[in-house]
Amino acid sequence: MAETKIPYKIYLEEDEMPKSWYNLRADMKNKPEPLVNPGTGKPLSKEELIPIFCEELVDQELDDTTPMIPIPDEIRDFYKMYRPSPLVRAYCLEKKLGTPAKIYYKFEGNNTSGSHKLNSAIAQAYYAKKQGLKGVTTETGAGQWGTALSMACSYFDLDCKVYMVKVSYEQKPFRREVMRTYGASVVPSPSETTEVGKKILAEHPGTTGSLGCAISEAVETATKNEGYRYVLGSVLNQVLLHQSVIGLEAKTALDKYDIHPDIIIGCSGGGSNLGGLIAPFMGEKLRGEADYRIIAVEPASCPSFTRGTFAYDFCDTGMICPLAKMYTLGSSFIPSANHAGGLRFHGMSTTLSQLYHDGFMEAVSVEQTSVFEAAEQFARSEGILPAPESSHAIRVAIDEAMKCKETGEEKTIVFGLSGTGYFDLVAYQKYNDGQMSDEIPTDEDIAASIAKLPKIN
Ligand SMILES: *Cc1c(COP(=O)(O)O)cnc(C)c1O
């Protein structure tokens, strides 16, 4: 029987776009541990969370039983401008590698923000607007989240204040201008505009900042300004929920051609694109309906899963945010200036942390020079200039495909291409000039920040 030819791009129709998000937690027997109030050591109640976060988002955050949560029409209408996103068969990369493996990637870079982050930004902006707020505050690392949120806020006419990790603010001035064009105000973090920023600057003069610092500043600003709430682009359960559109679409596309993946790979900073991509597949795995190898890829410079500890920790450097039980390097860990800014977070989604802890997924860490080698190979064969973050997933997809070349196995590999790298050209320049280095924390570095974990377990 002739095999159906799989097209280069599997596109879905507009009406095949998911009508509900899938809440993976509903199918988990061991639920992720709740966020805890650092003062009392008790799980945070809705009442404690609503001064910080939008109310409906708090409901989504705390809901670990409802499997399908309808996507409001206003959000679906926005999604229609850039979704469904294509699932691409990487025929050209396969040929270049000479592998019998079949490689697919779900491409989330087809919008101005250049990444998957818009999927959650638009949802969060919608709920903020619905609640009648004036605006939102947030942090951004590499700048993709800030850009996505600026786009979403301008669509719903909300004010948007972005604290941008200083190293990115300096390396990526054009990102900043995109955000300002959409009407956001952008402040390099740590800054003198907040109490926590001043404190961090006093303790670490000259620091290039981290996501953890920027989160502290954004939360402080939200709680001190009437009509503002804080929104976060990753890590939280609500963000993984919104990102499930990635996996739901990928699954629909694969099912259309009766394709069963063996391995699913994604890069993992706070875990949202990976959590979104794997959601329906992990659901099947948890329900015992199918099995997949699921691999999280993280930078060797910030190895939360592979070298971190599963414990309650602060989500921010300033230690003002709730505690989350997650794989963490310690909230005082400040990673070296890796070019994958979006992966420089000390912790990890509580949902993915629990799944990893329970053995439902694997994790590997990779060094940035080998990541850029993979990025270059991908760009030269598939044409898309990948984000450094996404290139972590490319690295491991290529590694797995090369293993298939050795063994002759025709495995099907799906990976998440979470975004494009047009704003990462300083990093590409370093790589092209042969000036990229790999900075890996020592065991002592990690032990020092782990020793400062809060004592709640
Ligand atoms: C932010 C970002 C990531 C990392 O964040 P997750 O929440 O782990 O997905 C990965 N890729 C791109 C392109 C990003 O912008």
Side-chain angles (χ1 to χ4, degrees), residues 255-280:
D255 287 349
K256 261 192 166 176
Y257 289 89
D258 204 19
I259 304 161
H260 182 93
D262 298 293
I263 310 175
I264 304 168
I265 302 167
C267 66
S268 198
S272 75
N273 88 87
L274 175 69
L277 174 67
I278 68 172

Short mmCIF file of all heavy atoms in Angstrom, two decimals, residues 255-280:
data_model
loop_
_atom_site.label_atom_id
_atom_site.label_comp_id
_atom_site.label_asym_id
_atom_site.label_seq_id
_atom_site.Cartn_x
_atom_site.Cartn_y
_atom_site.Cartn_z
N ASP A 255 -3.12 13.53 13.94
CA ASP A 255 -4.21 12.56 13.82
C ASP A 255 -4.77 12.52 12.40
O ASP A 255 -5.16 11.46 11.91
CB ASP A 255 -5.35 12.88 14.81
CG ASP A 255 -4.96 12.53 16.25
OD1 ASP A 255 -3.92 11.86 16.43
OD2 ASP A 255 -5.69 12.93 17.20
N LYS A 256 -4.79 13.67 11.74
CA LYS A 256 -5.29 13.75 10.36
C LYS A 256 -4.57 12.78 9.45
O LYS A 256 -5.14 12.24 8.52
CB LYS A 256 -5.05 15.16 9.80
CG LYS A 256 -6.24 16.04 9.87
CD LYS A 256 -5.99 17.29 9.04
CE LYS A 256 -7.31 17.98 8.83
NZ LYS A 256 -7.18 19.25 8.12
N TYR A 257 -3.28 12.61 9.70
CA TYR A 257 -2.48 11.72 8.85
C TYR A 257 -2.07 10.45 9.59
O TYR A 257 -1.16 9.76 9.17
CB TYR A 257 -1.24 12.48 8.34
CG TYR A 257 -1.61 13.53 7.33
CD1 TYR A 257 -1.93 14.82 7.71
CD2 TYR A 257 -1.69 13.21 5.96
CE1 TYR A 257 -2.29 15.78 6.78
CE2 TYR A 257 -2.06 14.16 5.02
CZ TYR A 257 -2.36 15.45 5.44
OH TYR A 257 -2.73 16.40 4.52
N ASP A 258 -2.74 10.21 10.70
CA ASP A 258 -2.50 9.00 11.47
C ASP A 258 -1.02 8.85 11.86
O ASP A 258 -0.45 7.76 11.78
CB ASP A 258 -2.97 7.78 10.65
CG ASP A 258 -3.30 6.61 11.56
OD1 ASP A 258 -3.51 6.84 12.77
OD2 ASP A 258 -3.30 5.46 11.07
N ILE A 259 -0.43 9.94 12.26
CA ILE A 259 0.98 9.93 12.66
C ILE A 259 1.06 9.79 14.18
O ILE A 259 0.38 10.52 14.91
CB ILE A 259 1.69 11.24 12.26
CG1 ILE A 259 1.54 11.48 10.76
CG2 ILE A 259 3.15 11.22 12.67
CD1 ILE A 259 1.78 12.93 10.35
N HIS A 260 1.88 8.84 14.64
CA HIS A 260 2.03 8.62 16.08
C HIS A 260 3.47 8.95 16.47
O HIS A 260 4.39 8.23 16.11
CB HIS A 260 1.71 7.16 16.43
CG HIS A 260 1.81 6.89 17.89
ND1 HIS A 260 0.74 6.97 18.75
CD2 HIS A 260 2.88 6.56 18.66
CE1 HIS A 260 1.13 6.69 19.98
NE2 HIS A 260 2.43 6.44 19.95
N PRO A 261 3.67 10.05 17.17
CA PRO A 261 5.05 10.39 17.54
C PRO A 261 5.64 9.42 18.57
O PRO A 261 4.92 8.90 19.41
CB PRO A 261 4.94 11.80 18.13
CG PRO A 261 3.51 12.05 18.40
CD PRO A 261 2.69 11.04 17.65
N ASP A 262 6.95 9.18 18.45
CA ASP A 262 7.65 8.38 19.47
C ASP A 262 8.25 9.31 20.52
O ASP A 262 8.28 8.97 21.69
CB ASP A 262 8.77 7.57 18.81
CG ASP A 262 8.23 6.60 17.79
OD1 ASP A 262 7.54 5.65 18.21
OD2 ASP A 262 8.46 6.81 16.58
N ILE A 263 8.76 10.44 20.03
CA ILE A 263 9.49 11.35 20.93
C ILE A 263 8.95 12.77 20.75
O ILE A 263 8.77 13.22 19.61
CB ILE A 263 11.00 11.36 20.59
CG1 ILE A 263 11.56 9.93 20.50
CG2 ILE A 263 11.77 12.17 21.63
CD1 ILE A 263 13.02 9.87 20.07
N ILE A 264 8.67 13.44 21.85
CA ILE A 264 8.23 14.84 21.79
C ILE A 264 9.22 15.67 22.60
O ILE A 264 9.52 15.35 23.76
CB ILE A 264 6.80 14.99 22.34
CG1 ILE A 264 5.85 14.07 21.56
CG2 ILE A 264 6.32 16.45 22.23
CD1 ILE A 264 4.48 13.92 22.18
N ILE A 265 9.72 16.73 21.95
CA ILE A 265 10.82 17.50 22.54
C ILE A 265 10.48 18.98 22.58
O ILE A 265 9.92 19.52 21.63
CB ILE A 265 12.10 17.32 21.67
CG1 ILE A 265 12.48 15.83 21.57
CG2 ILE A 265 13.27 18.14 22.23
CD1 ILE A 265 13.52 15.53 20.49
N GLY A 266 10.81 19.62 23.69
CA GLY A 266 10.63 21.08 23.73
C GLY A 266 11.66 21.70 24.64
O GLY A 266 12.16 21.05 25.57
N CYS A 267 11.99 22.97 24.38
CA CYS A 267 12.88 23.66 25.29
C CYS A 267 12.06 24.09 26.51
O CYS A 267 10.84 24.26 26.42
CB CYS A 267 13.52 24.86 24.62
SG CYS A 267 12.38 26.18 24.19
N SER A 268 12.76 24.25 27.62
CA SER A 268 12.02 24.55 28.83
C SER A 268 12.73 25.62 29.65
O SER A 268 13.82 25.40 30.17
CB SER A 268 11.87 23.25 29.63
OG SER A 268 10.86 23.40 30.58
N GLY A 269 12.08 26.79 29.73
CA GLY A 269 12.58 27.87 30.56
C GLY A 269 11.77 27.88 31.85
O GLY A 269 12.22 27.49 32.91
N GLY A 270 10.52 28.29 31.72
CA GLY A 270 9.57 28.15 32.83
C GLY A 270 8.61 27.00 32.53
O GLY A 270 7.83 26.61 33.40
N GLY A 271 8.65 26.50 31.32
CA GLY A 271 7.91 25.30 30.97
C GLY A 271 6.63 25.50 30.17
O GLY A 271 5.90 24.55 29.94
N SER A 272 6.37 26.75 29.68
CA SER A 272 5.05 26.95 29.09
C SER A 272 4.92 26.41 27.67
O SER A 272 3.90 25.81 27.34
CB SER A 272 4.63 28.43 29.15
OG SER A 272 5.32 29.21 28.21
N ASN A 273 5.94 26.61 26.82
CA ASN A 273 5.76 26.07 25.46
C ASN A 273 5.83 24.55 25.49
O ASN A 273 5.06 23.87 24.81
CB ASN A 273 6.73 26.72 24.46
CG ASN A 273 8.08 26.03 24.36
OD1 ASN A 273 8.25 25.08 23.60
ND2 ASN A 273 9.05 26.48 25.14
N LEU A 274 6.72 24.03 26.32
CA LEU A 274 6.82 22.57 26.45
C LEU A 274 5.53 22.01 27.05
O LEU A 274 4.95 21.05 26.52
CB LEU A 274 8.02 22.19 27.32
CG LEU A 274 8.14 20.69 27.61
CD1 LEU A 274 8.50 19.92 26.35
CD2 LEU A 274 9.19 20.43 28.69
N GLY A 275 5.07 22.64 28.14
CA GLY A 275 3.85 22.17 28.79
C GLY A 275 2.66 22.22 27.84
O GLY A 275 1.80 21.34 27.86
N GLY A 276 2.61 23.27 27.01
CA GLY A 276 1.51 23.40 26.05
C GLY A 276 1.60 22.37 24.95
O GLY A 276 0.60 21.74 24.59
N LEU A 277 2.80 22.17 24.43
CA LEU A 277 2.99 21.20 23.35
C LEU A 277 2.65 19.79 23.79
O LEU A 277 1.98 19.04 23.09
CB LEU A 277 4.44 21.26 22.85
CG LEU A 277 4.83 20.20 21.80
CD1 LEU A 277 4.09 20.41 20.49
CD2 LEU A 277 6.34 20.19 21.56
N ILE A 278 3.11 19.42 24.98
CA ILE A 278 2.95 18.02 25.40
C ILE A 278 1.58 17.75 26.02
O ILE A 278 1.22 16.57 26.17
CB ILE A 278 4.05 17.58 26.39
CG1 ILE A 278 3.92 18.30 27.74
CG2 ILE A 278 5.42 17.76 25.77
CD1 ILE A 278 4.86 17.78 28.82
N ALA A 279 0.82 18.80 26.36
CA ALA A 279 -0.38 18.60 27.18
C ALA A 279 -1.26 17.41 26.75
O ALA A 279 -1.46 16.48 27.53
CB ALA A 279 -1.18 19.89 27.26
N PRO A 280 -1.79 17.40 25.50
CA PRO A 280 -2.70 16.30 25.17
C PRO A 280 -2.01 14.94 25.11
O PRO A 280 -2.64 13.91 25.38
CB PRO A 280 -3.27 16.70 23.80
CG PRO A 280 -2.32 17.68 23.24
CD PRO A 280 -1.66 18.36 24.40
#
